[in-house]
Amino acid sequence: MIDIWTIVRFLHVLGAIIWVGGQLTITVVVLPPVRRLLGLAERTEVLRTVGKRFALITAALFLPTQITTGVLLAWRNGVTWAALAEPGYGRVLAAKLILFTLVMAAATVHGIAQAKHRPAAARAASITALVGSLGVILLATGLVER
Amino acid sequence: MDETPRTDLAPPTAARPRGPLFVWANAVVLGWLAVAVVLSAAHQVLGLPGWVALHALLLGAVTNAILIWSEHFVVTLCRAPAPLARRVAAGLTALNLFVVTVLAGVTTNVSVMTGAGAAGICVIAAVHTVFLVRTYRKALQRRFGHLICFYASASVALLAGAVTGAALGTGAATPIWYSRLWGAHVHLTLLGWVGFAVLGTLFTLWPTTLGIRIADGTASLARRALPVLAVGLVLTVGGILAASRWLTLAGLVCYAAGVGVAMIPLVRALGTRRPRGPAAWMLAAAIGWLGVAVLIEGVRLLLAGSIDALPDVVGAVVPVFVLGFTVQVLVGALTQLLPVVLGRGPAEHKSLSASLARGWQVRILLTNLAVPLVAGDWPRPLPQIGWAFGALGVGTFAVLALRAAIPVALRGAATTVQAPDRPSPSSGTTTGIAAGLAVVVLAVALAATGTAEAPSTPVSGAAHTVEVTMSAMRLRPSTVDIPPGTRLVLRVTNQDSMPHDLRADSGQRTPRLRQGETALLDLGEIQGDHQAWCDVAGHRAAGMTMTIRTSPAAADTGRDHRAGHDPGTGAGLDLGATPSPGWTPHDARLAPPAGTLHRVELHVTEQDVEVAPGVRERRWTFGRTAPGPALHGRVGDRFEITLVNDATMGHGIDFHAGALAPDQPMRTIGPGERLVYRFTAHRAGAWLYHCSTMPMSQHIANGMYGAVVIDPPGLPAVDHEYLLVSSQLYLGGPDSDQHVAKIHTGRPDGWVFNGMAAQYDHAPLTARSGRRVRIWLVNAGPGDATAFHVVGAQFDTLYKEGTWLLRPGDPGGAQVLDLAPAQGGFVELSFPEPGHYPFVDHDMRHAENGAHGRFTVTEPPQ
Ligand SMILES: [Cu+2]
């Protein structure tokens, strides 16, 4: 049945798709040819531009949407602070939130390292964020099943 | 004896020691290792048994590694002819197919698959043994002959381990043999297959990791160690199979002695050079854990005092064997050996070694911290943290090694080799993957703690609880019938010495239960049929399954359980609850006898009856009530009862008030049949009648009883005459296995007068003070005695089983009429003054659980 909650859930899932899908696309599709085809200067320029744009979208659209829709969905599902500690749905959700926070922290570290011209650290942080995001999706899938 | 064997392992040639097949084989080992790490972290989320992760590691990674490396060492060190690459490839492919078959077979519970896979592994083990024995004959370099002997012994242990494993996995093992075979399987594979292969390899590998020559005398010590180890293993396994604790202990001591002998050259080597670098430290730690595991097992077995403790003891040391010893040895050996396989020339070796050694101190710390955490009996989060540490330590190595091996396997070049001054464009990737996996593993571990802990949370709301016991590889009951939509909770108790768990097809599971442990499994609202089984490998195949069926037939009863009482837990009846709307008490007044010929048609029906306030249960009844109608007559009266079976199964009837040959009148009649039962009441008394169909305990407990009252001649009339039939109350569907089990073990949910707990508290019997009251009593059982007492009053008349024990005018008084099952009698009394007089079964457990009522006594009308 399509109601307002379908829209909220749709926005939540759409946000996740764009963020994780964007990370995956950049890492797996965009970066390898960029590395191979472009010179060092152009490469850095392209990566910096892509990174800034992604960071802007994340901060301006993705985070507000995910947090708003996530809180709404949790409220709708009757999740309380106490429920987060309870085994099952609550604890999976709590683990997902913690993991999501860590992913966002890694993404921030990526931005800082990129700005400070430390490519190895930046790459480590971005891959951490990507693997962590996949973990978030895994946990989210576990939530839906119940 | 002067040539250094170091070059034997790592020939300083530009070419790799073995071809691309060998690289691929090692990549497969690493692949299994990665799969095992992922499964150990995620098997709960994926709904797979932990067995799969363990066997992905041991059967996948470790067995592949031992096979390829033992073949490599034998060929290289003993200068033996190499087998054809094609044959090796075919053998390894077959092995991995069989491993996948076994894993899939156990996961999907298809015994044929498990059996076929295990048989394949047996064949491979046999072929490998034959290959080793033949190679021994052809070997040119006899100096390393002991190596082949170790590998051949290991291979024989694998064969035996696979046979025992097949018996376990296919469910072919009988309950008694299961735990013995399991113990044998664990020791054959871990101490035999892995232990022998590792110890044999170490004589060469350990000096190599230290970077020194193999000391003289190593080979002779090795030759001395092997028989001790082999005898130790045979004694251990024999002791376990024969259920002999002392034999098992002797075997473990012998095996430990063998490890000690094998350690002598290794410890001596330490005098030459201290271990540096990851490989040496990991191998040393691994051997340390092997010793610790054997020691712990021996000591715990000694202290346990009985071989029955074996499953528990072995269960506790398996994590030490697996994580501390096996995994660490594998990682350590691969750290040393992989660069040899993957690199061309010293430069590549060095760079590969460096990349495989990344963060090794942290990894060793994590792994060895993990061992006591997972093996100890710690409270909840600690074992999970331990598993996460182990997964991190090993998973990081798997990622590092795969990143080195895959490019070589695909392109024949190691990509990690580059000038140290120029940062690689991909540097940081490994760190990123490791860090990402680490946080994901921790988060998933945190999330997964929930499912395992869920059973310990209290069950809120109304639920139907069923007692489930595990013993002798069976779940009892094997079938649970409930109406659709019932919230079902299973209270699972393990009575076996083997650990068990219970898993439903909907994903809920109990934690692994040891002997005597109990867990609640809340399955939620059940719609449609479900299966549940013990998830320990092979137990499902051996028959530890149960079916949860929903049927509308069980609808009324089930709904009533949920509304009222939780029958399984024996939590006590809510005697103060309000009876259901429209409830009428069973009339306890005994009508005076009418006529001398009593013709009654008794219909056997299945009926919903109020058995406790607000609790309605399906009952099998005579004449739609439990107890059935009271028959009241005098000595010499003729009774002609037509029994009509309107129920769905066979029933019969037995009147104690008549004396006749039971053959015909007491026979069981099928649904729809009729039977005429004629008897003359020659003797006075309060007689029981009940269903005569086996098991009578069940038929009586389900309501098929009633009373025939035959007045003794000259019995004076009284002002109030009542009849109370006492019985035990068993809740749960009338023919569920758990209900029958409760009846057989004599664990009633309550005790009642006239079929309902505390009904005369809700509808008190009445009397007038100073007037005579006669109370007839019949104890229907099925099993407990009763002791009838009226609080605040004394009996002046006591008639029990055909005789007066007390008559009015006797100087004494009576306080209790006691009745064994099927006995009857009456008491008489007059209440001294108006008031409320409780009556009880003075076995207070009975009174407090329903065998309780009340007289409301008022002034006689003026
Ligand atoms: Cu019957």
Side-chain angles (χ1 to χ4, degrees):
Chain A
M1 202 171 70
I2 293 188
D3 55 10
I4 183 73
W5 292 105
T6 314
I7 309 289
V8 174
R9 221 171 298 138
F10 169 74
L11 288 176
H12 196 75
V13 175
L14 184 69
I17 290 173
I18 292 173
W19 207 73
V20 181
Q23 279 180 295
L24 265 177
T25 310
I26 292 172
T27 315
V28 179
V29 180
V30 178
L31 289 190
V34 162
R35 278 215 192 85
R36 209 168 51 243
L37 301 176
L38 300 183
L40 192 63
E42 289 163 306
R43 188 199 303 167
T44 315
E45 188 57 34
V46 168
L47 291 186
R48 180 146 305 142
T49 318
V50 169
K52 270 189 182 159
R53 208 174 156 74
F54 205 74
L56 184 72
I57 292 173
T58 303
L61 279 175
F62 172 69
L63 269 180
T65 315
Q66 285 322 88
I67 291 172
T68 315
T69 53
V71 168
L72 282 172
L73 286 170
W75 173 72
R76 159 101 169 142
N77 281 321
V79 176
T80 60
W81 289 112
L84 283 180
E86 280 168 19
Y89 189 95
R91 206 168 283 183
V92 176
L93 180 58
K96 191 190 126 177
L97 289 175
I98 292 170
L99 189 54
F100 182 76
T101 314
L102 291 175
V103 164
M104 285 301 132
T108 312
V109 169
H110 167 75
I112 294 169
Q114 194 78 299
K116 289 191 174 171
H117 300 277
R118 293 178 55 189
R123 188 170 165 81
S126 79
I127 299 235
T128 307
L130 176 59
V131 175
S133 313
L134 293 174
V136 173
I137 301 282
L138 176 74
L139 288 173
T141 325
L143 283 178
V144 174
E145 207 193 330
R146 295 179 69 96
Chain B
M1 294 295 223
D2 277 344
E3 64 273 72
T4 60
R6 179 164 164 67
T7 47
D8 287 323
L9 281 176
T13 51
R16 286 193 191 88
R18 305 294 295 265
L21 167 64
F22 203 56
V23 176
W24 270 114
N26 277 285
V28 169
V29 171
L30 294 171
W32 276 117
L33 190 61
V35 167
V37 170
V38 170
L39 283 178
S40 79
H43 70 265
Q44 280 205 342
V45 181
L46 300 174
L48 292 171
W51 182 92
V52 178
L54 186 66
H55 282 72
L57 175 76
L58 294 175
L59 208 48
V62 173
T63 297
N64 266 296
I66 294 178
L67 280 176
I68 59 177
W69 282 102
S70 62
E71 184 259 353
H72 170 77
F73 287 138
V74 164
V75 167
T76 312
L77 295 173
C78 305
R79 311 261 163 79
L84 286 174
R86 240 182 323 133
R87 274 180 49 191
V88 175
L92 289 176
T93 310
L95 169 72
N96 286 289
L97 283 178
F98 291 140
V99 174
V100 170
T101 310
V102 169
L103 296 190
V106 170
T107 309
T108 57
N109 193 36
V110 180
S111 306
V112 183
M113 268 171 92
T114 314
I121 290 165
C122 290
V123 170
I124 293 208
V127 169
H128 189 61
T129 313
V130 170
F131 159 77
L132 288 167
V133 171
R134 278 201 192 147
T135 311
Y136 187 73
R137 298 213 191 99
K138 289 187 226 158
L140 301 172
Q141 174 61 275
R142 283 299 173 105
R143 198 160 80 88
F144 291 98
H146 61 271
L147 192 59
I148 305 184
C149 296
F150 267 90
Y151 290 150
S153 313
S155 190
V156 172
L158 173 65
L159 181 56
V163 171
T164 47
L168 298 170
T170 55
T174 61
I176 297 165
W177 277 99
Y178 190 96
S179 57
R180 298 188 190 180
L181 281 174
W182 176 73
H185 175 72
V186 167
H187 288 85
L188 284 168
T189 48
L190 290 176
L191 292 185
W193 172 231
V194 182
F196 289 175
V198 165
L199 289 171
T201 309
L202 278 182
F203 293 112
T204 315
L205 189 62
W206 178 245
T208 314
T209 52
L210 292 179
I212 57 173
R213 290 180 180 187
I214 296 174
D216 293 340
T218 298
S220 68
L221 276 170
R223 281 176 213 280
R224 240 175 276 165
L226 181 59
V228 185
L229 288 165
V231 169
L233 180 66
V234 169
L235 285 181
T236 306
V237 171
I240 291 170
L241 288 178
S244 158
R245 193 164 59 99
W246 292 112
L247 203 58
T248 311
L249 273 169
L252 289 171
V253 169
C254 191
Y255 189 90
V259 174
V261 176
M263 284 302 99
I264 294 171
L266 310 188
V267 173
R268 273 189 198 152
L270 284 176
T272 316
R273 188 163 313 170
R274 295 271 141 202
R276 275 174 303 154
W281 277 110
M282 284 180 203
L283 293 179
I287 296 302
W289 282 120
L290 174 65
V292 168
V294 173
L295 196 72
I296 293 177
E297 188 180 359
V299 170
R300 282 197 55 174
L301 208 53
L302 189 70
L303 294 179
S306 156
I307 192 75
D308 294 339
L310 189 78
D312 223 17
V313 173
V314 175
V317 291
V318 160
V320 185
F321 275 129
V322 171
L323 189 58
F325 171 58
T326 309
V327 169
Q328 203 155 205
V329 141
L330 181 68
V331 172
L334 289 178
T335 305
Q336 176 73 26
L337 298 171
L338 273 183
V340 182
V341 183
L342 302 176
R344 286 164 304 188
E348 280 192 5
H349 290 175
K350 212 175 156 194
S351 129
L352 281 162
S353 290
S355 77
L356 286 186
R358 256 185 239 161
W360 64 272
Q361 293 95 336
V362 180
R363 285 190 275 124
I364 286 189
L365 195 70
L366 283 175
T367 311
N368 290 288
L369 217 61
V371 178
L373 284 178
V374 299
D377 208 359
W378 307 108
R380 207 86 208 14
L382 287 179
Q384 273 69 33
I385 292 172
W387 284 118
F389 279 0
L392 263 179
V394 180
T396 315
F397 172 77
V399 172
L400 287 172
L402 275 170
R403 267 168 53 77
I406 294 286
V408 180
L410 288 176
R411 295 193 292 272
T415 50
T416 47
V417 182
Q418 41 207 297
D421 53 326
R422 207 180 128 240
S424 138
S426 63
S427 73
T429 306
T430 313
T431 322
I433 291 177
L437 279 178
V439 287
V440 170
V441 165
L442 280 174
V444 170
L446 171 68
T449 52
T451 23
E453 214 176 52
S456 68
T457 56
V459 177
S460 59
H464 180 61
T465 307
V466 174
E467 295 277 352
V468 178
T469 55
M470 303 163 140
S471 62
M473 301 295 269
R474 287 289 177 277
L475 293 167
R476 294 188 179 79
S478 58
T479 314
V480 173
D481 276 305
I482 43 161
T486 306
R487 167 127 176 256
L488 182 63
V489 175
L490 302 178
R491 200 176 137 85
V492 189
T493 306
N494 180 14
Q495 298 175 343
D496 263 346
S497 60
M498 271 307 286
H500 294 296
D501 59 15
L502 188 65
R503 174 184 151 79
D505 54 7
S506 43
Q508 298 97 328
R509 62 192 310 155
T510 67
R512 194 62 60 88
L513 300 175
R514 281 188 275 172
Q515 189 165 26
E517 288 184 332
T518 298
L520 288 179
L521 187 63
D522 188 350
L523 297 178
E525 296 225 338
I526 303 289
Q527 305 287 353
D529 293 359
H530 285 282
Q531 288 286 321
W533 60 87
C534 176
D535 218 17
V536 176
H539 290 202
R540 185 186 191 183
M544 285 193 77
T545 58
M546 75 187 296
T547 308
I548 297 155
R549 276 194 317 226
T550 53
S551 55
D556 301 328
T557 14
R559 206 164 293 126
D560 293 328
H561 294 320
R562 292 192 293 137
H565 172 69
D566 169 357
T569 57
L573 301 162
D574 183 3
L575 300 175
T578 317
S580 307
W583 166 75
T584 49
H586 186 95
D587 195 351
R589 284 175 304 177
L590 183 65
T596 56
L597 175 62
H598 305 265
R599 251 203 203 105
V600 179
E601 195 164 273
L602 268 187
H603 289 258
V604 178
T605 59
E606 291 177 13
Q607 199 76 34
D608 287 336
V609 174
E610 189 108 355
V611 294
V615 180
R616 290 174 70 78
E617 285 254 37
R618 182 135 296 224
R619 277 292 181 268
W620 301 342
T621 68
F622 288 120
R624 314 184 78 81
T625 60
L631 305 175
H632 193 184
R634 297 186 179 89
V635 174
D637 279 2
R638 184 95 184 128
F639 289 81
E640 199 176 290
I641 285 91
T642 306
L643 183 71
V644 186
N645 188 352
D646 289 340
T648 55
M649 60 184 287
H651 294 289
I653 198 162
D654 174 1
F655 285 94
H656 293 185
L660 42 72
D663 308 41
Q664 284 307 307
M666 296 189 201
R667 72 179 189 271
T668 295
I669 59 169
E673 294 188 314
R674 307 166 69 88
L675 159 86
V676 181
Y677 191 118
R678 295 185 182 86
F679 67 92
T680 304
H682 290 296
R683 293 189 169 91
W687 304 93
L688 176 68
Y689 71 86
H690 62 91
C691 180
S692 60
T693 297
M694 298 298 266
M696 283 188 217
S697 60
Q698 185 191 6
H699 288 248
I700 293 171
N702 284 336
M704 303 191 75
Y705 57 84
V708 178
V709 172
I710 306 298
D711 289 348
L715 186 72
V718 288
D719 301 291
H720 309 280
E721 194 163 22
Y722 290 110
L723 168 65
L724 298 176
V725 183
S726 79
S727 71
Q728 286 88 65
L729 172 61
Y730 287 95
L731 298 172
D735 57 355
S736 75
D737 289 348
Q738 58 125 9
H739 182 64
V740 174
K742 257 196 313 195
I743 294 168
H744 278 210
T745 52
R747 289 180 289 122
D749 296 287
W751 287 263
V752 302
F753 289 121
N754 287 350
M756 177 182 160
Q759 67 175 321
Y760 302 119
D761 284 320
H762 292 272
L765 304 179
T766 55
R768 304 273 183 177
S769 58
R771 301 286 169 89
R772 287 201 70 75
V773 183
R774 178 181 299 138
I775 306 154
W776 289 89
L777 283 151
V778 170
N779 181 7
D784 291 356
T786 179
F788 182 75
H789 170 75
V790 178
V791 180
Q794 294 169 342
F795 306 144
D796 60 18
T797 306
L798 199 76
Y799 178 94
K800 179 186 172 187
E801 286 285 282
T803 187
W804 266 273
L805 299 175
L806 180 72
R807 286 185 189 258
D810 287 350
Q815 56 207 308
V816 156
L817 173 57
D818 63 316
L819 298 170
Q823 288 192 320
F826 68 79
V827 293
E828 289 178 7
L829 71 158
S830 53
F831 291 98
E833 55 183 328
H836 304 281
Y837 293 79
F839 61 86
V840 296
D841 177 343
H842 214 290
D843 184 334
M844 280 302 153
R845 295 165 297 180
H846 303 175
E848 286 153 14
N849 284 289
H852 189 280
R854 212 188 297 275
F855 276 100
T856 301
V857 178
T858 50
E859 290 278 2
Q862 297 305 311

